[in-house]
Amino acid sequence: MRLVTAISEMKALAREARVQGKSVGLVPTMGALHKGHLSLVRQAKQQCDIVVVSVFVNPTQFAPGEDYDRYPRDLDKDVSLLGDYNIDTVFAPSAEEMYPEGFQTFVEPGPLAAVYEGACRPGHFRGVATVVLKLLNIVQPDIAYFGQKDFQQAIVVRRLVEDLNLSVRLVLCPIVRDDDGLAVSSRNVYLSRDQRKSALALSQSLRKARELTHAGETDANRIIGEMQRVLQADPRVRPDYVALVSPATLQPVARVTAGTIALVAARVDSVRLLDNTILGPAGTSQDELLQIALSAPAVTTTDARVPGIDAEAVLHKIENCRDCAAISTILLPPREFMAAYLKRDYPDLSVVRAAVIGRHSTARPENSFYRSSGCPNRFVTALYELLGVEDFTEFKKRFILTDIIRCHASGPRIPDRALRNCTRHLRNELGLFPNLDTLIVLGEDAYFGVQQFLLERPADQVQPFSAFMGSHGWVEEHAELSFLDHRPIRIFYCHHPSLGYQHSPSLASALAE
Ligand code: AMP
């Protein structure tokens, strides 16, 4: 292992590695190495032929009055720790080497760097982006390793790499924690024993956020409120910010979806600490959550909604529904649409304007609407005609197809109790689509289900289907439904497109109004 302090020597070594066709991994650190840093080193060792660890306490990322002077430094110890990892080079330049007299060029990151850490520490990310670009230029690595611990930093660096056309690949490694949950950090040495106990409030607030989302809570304000309660329970802890943000834009979200990041920064007395967690369905591994967060599309419109935890929660309830268990004719398979196809076919739930409600999915897999991507058969062709759409691509731009019954019934008559339970799940399912304003109800069973259990009309006031439809091609009704935030909903009752003798004419022009 070589300890290099001169930029020229580091550049020469990097050049030599490239000439030999070796891959180079860079782990940038500020030293005072701990097991968090070492997890990055381990990952780099696995993926690259040559590993360079830089140790540099970068003065330009500290604002005046911050802890630059007292930041822990122990290069000998760092070098000896890295000795166990068989790495190739420790690059530890001095401040004068990196910022010689006359230095005057800085990288100015944009809005991603203006919020949270950027707002609390003016100029911080300007210093980070500048030193990272310098290190990348000096070492020319194939891959650079960063920790999720500094999530905003990683996102700012990712933007820098894209914006300045750098050819490095970035790898983000999950947060390493001590057994009690505290995220390891070089600054933890500042904490007294009591302060360390108080510092656990950060990871506990994040655990609270995870627990709430796993229980199906998606309202960001409610989750933030609970997180703040955890932090405020300890008088030593003064939060700088608690936020639930989109991983791509770092903008606050109103509702949590898979990949949403919970960020927290707080002072424990005078020690400032950061932590975060990626929210997602229960049981998802840290690596998977990182993948979800990093590949999350940048949602730019405020009402776009990516199916995530809320959809998972609805599915979970359906799958675990035991309410019909006493009724022997009814089985409860997972709902295929929710389980497998919602995310594939509806990456933005806000496009859906109308839900088509049938009776129940066919038991014949080859006829499954979503599994075959809306491949025409007798029912599908008639449905497309009814709605005035050409094909599945057009269908999924506005419509979903769902059923009044979430489970399968073998008998022709569905007991009311089963219908009541199923429509409770249907309410949750419809509630996922924020812009839904139309229901299209197909046939008699769906009509009874909607009338009795969505509109909550007493059974004796619900007319027989044939009398209700009369000689009309369809019947239109307006309603406000509590589970759809009381917004006005149009309901079209139609004859079933492929059952029975009567058929409804196309709704296309009525739907376009
Ligand atoms: P620092 O020395 O604090 O600048 O950190 C150097 C790198 O190690 C950064 O990419 C950090 O995000 C990462 N890092 C710091 N603490 C941890 C941790 N507890 N788990 C994983 N990575 C970490």
Side-chain angles (χ1 to χ4, degrees):
M1 187 171 73
R2 261 164 96 156
L3 175 61
V4 175
T5 54
I7 292 172
S8 55
E9 188 185 351
M10 187 65 249
K11 279 188 155 179
L13 281 175
R15 208 174 307 121
E16 198 181 302
R18 274 201 310 285
V19 169
Q20 290 173 358
K22 292 187 170 160
S23 58
V24 177
L26 170 66
V27 181
T29 80
M30 297 206 300
L33 299 184
H34 50 63
K35 59 185 179 186
H37 296 121
L38 296 174
S39 74
L40 273 55
V41 172
R42 220 174 295 122
Q43 178 82 7
K45 267 309 280 183
Q46 273 175 17
Q47 295 180 317
C48 302
D49 299 325
I50 302 259
V51 173
V52 178
V53 177
S54 63
V55 174
F56 179 61
V57 184
N58 174 38
T60 61
Q61 72 189 66
F62 290 79
E66 289 187 351
D67 58 345
Y68 175 67
D69 289 330
R70 70 173 188 131
Y71 193 85
R73 293 168 172 87
D74 192 344
L75 187 58
D76 290 343
K77 190 166 157 221
D78 291 345
V79 168
S80 101
L81 268 177
L82 291 171
D84 296 342
Y85 286 82
N86 197 21
I87 65 149
D88 301 85
T89 306
V90 177
F91 177 49
S94 65
E96 296 72 36
E97 179 76 359
M98 290 292 270
Y99 298 105
E101 227 179 277
F103 182 92
Q104 56 180 259
T105 307
F106 286 86
V107 179
E108 196 65 65
L112 286 174
V115 291
Y116 304 114
E117 282 309 280
C120 294
R121 305 182 64 188
H124 171 66
F125 285 121
R126 179 182 193 244
V128 168
T130 304
V131 82
V132 167
L133 181 59
K134 282 172 72 73
L135 290 168
L136 293 174
N137 278 335
I138 294 165
V139 179
Q140 299 274 319
D142 298 277
I143 309 184
Y145 295 83
F146 290 86
Q148 179 201 326
K149 165 76 175 20
D150 300 277
F151 189 82
Q152 188 178 6
Q153 167 176 282
I155 297 302
V156 169
V157 170
R158 183 166 77 166
R159 197 70 247 169
L160 163 85
V161 167
E162 274 177 35
D163 288 350
L164 301 188
N165 308 103
L166 309 182
S167 34
V168 67
R169 268 177 55 205
L170 301 178
V171 168
L172 197 57
C173 303
I175 301 178
V176 175
R177 299 177 179 280
D178 279 330
D179 289 343
D180 56 9
L182 184 68
V184 292
S185 158
S186 306
R187 289 190 169 96
N188 291 355
V189 297
Y190 298 150
L191 296 168
S192 70
R193 243 183 35 184
D194 285 347
Q195 287 169 334
R196 206 199 130 91
K197 271 197 201 129
S198 301
L200 294 179
L202 278 85
S203 55
Q204 281 161 355
S205 73
L206 296 170
R207 192 168 68 203
K208 186 79 190 173
R210 279 197 303 274
E211 282 168 5
L212 288 166
T213 50
H214 291 168
E217 179 62 84
T218 60
D219 184 292
N221 281 336
R222 275 209 286 269
I223 296 170
I224 289 172
E226 291 294 317
M227 290 175 72
Q228 263 158 348
R229 278 238 296 255
V230 174
L231 292 165
Q232 281 157 6
D234 190 317
R236 280 183 201 278
V237 180
R238 280 171 300 131
D240 272 350
Y241 56 81
V242 177
L244 297 185
V245 302
S246 143
T249 60
L250 299 182
Q251 289 300 305
V253 296
R255 289 167 61 88
V256 170
T257 58
T260 296
I261 316 288
L263 297 174
V264 55
R267 278 171 204 281
V268 177
D269 295 332
S270 63
V271 185
R272 191 164 182 281
L273 298 171
L274 296 187
D275 204 347
N276 68 75
T277 196
I278 306 174
L279 300 174
T284 317
S285 72
Q286 281 303 305
D287 284 338
E288 278 174 303
L289 286 173
L290 257 180
Q291 277 315 314
I292 294 172
L294 294 179
S295 57
V299 176
T300 44
T301 55
T302 48
D303 57 356
R305 188 177 295 173
V306 184
I309 293 167
D310 37 6
E312 302 283 348
V314 174
L315 173 65
H316 186 75
K317 283 187 190 147
I318 297 169
E319 284 181 332
N320 289 287
C321 177
R322 295 280 169 272
D323 292 335
C324 305
I327 301 163
S328 60
T329 53
I330 293 179
L331 306 168
L332 289 167
R335 286 282 294 121
E336 198 176 53
F337 166 59
M338 293 292 301
Y341 298 115
L342 183 72
K343 287 184 184 173
R344 183 193 74 181
D345 292 321
Y346 299 95
D348 177 0
L349 304 180
S350 71
V351 302
V352 172
R353 307 305 296 249
V356 182
I357 303 176
R359 182 179 187 269
H360 66 75
S361 303
T362 168
R364 301 235 304 269
E366 67 277 15
N367 285 344
S368 161
F369 181 72
Y370 284 99
R371 197 181 306 181
S372 71
S373 289
C375 191
N377 56 30
R378 204 162 81 85
F379 167 72
V380 173
T381 306
L383 177 70
Y384 288 171
E385 233 174 81
L386 180 71
L387 304 176
V389 299
E390 283 290 318
D391 54 22
F392 186 59
T393 309
E394 218 183 299
F395 176 88
K396 66 186 181 178
K397 281 188 188 148
R398 283 156 62 208
F399 299 98
I400 57 159
L401 175 63
T402 185
D403 302 318
I404 199 78
I405 303 163
R406 262 82 229 99
C407 49
H408 287 229
S410 56
R413 168 105 178 86
I414 315 294
D416 278 358
R417 204 182 114 200
L419 260 180
R420 182 181 297 283
N421 291 328
C422 283
T423 41
R424 209 183 56 219
H425 296 308
L426 177 62
R427 290 165 183 231
N428 293 330
E429 203 175 293
L430 298 178
L432 294 172
F433 302 93
N435 294 326
L436 192 76
D437 59 14
T438 304
L439 304 180
I440 297 154
V441 182
L442 305 181
E444 186 167 354
D445 287 313
Y447 159 77
F448 280 118
V450 168
Q451 287 277 317
Q452 284 187 60
F453 303 118
L454 290 190
L455 299 174
E456 294 174 26
R457 305 222 158 107
D460 57 6
Q461 284 175 30
V462 179
Q463 285 181 283
F465 186 61
S466 54
F468 178 78
M469 294 298 284
S471 57
H472 306 290
W474 72 76
V475 176
E476 184 176 347
E477 186 182 5
H478 294 243
E480 287 180 11
L481 300 168
S482 57
F483 60 93
L484 296 178
D485 306 326
H486 296 284
R487 56 182 183 270
I489 302 291
R490 295 193 302 168
I491 308 176
F492 293 95
Y493 299 91
C494 307
H495 295 287
H496 195 281
S498 59
L499 297 176
Y501 299 106
Q502 282 178 292
H503 293 288
S504 298
S506 173
L507 292 175
S509 53
L511 290 172
E513 276 168 23

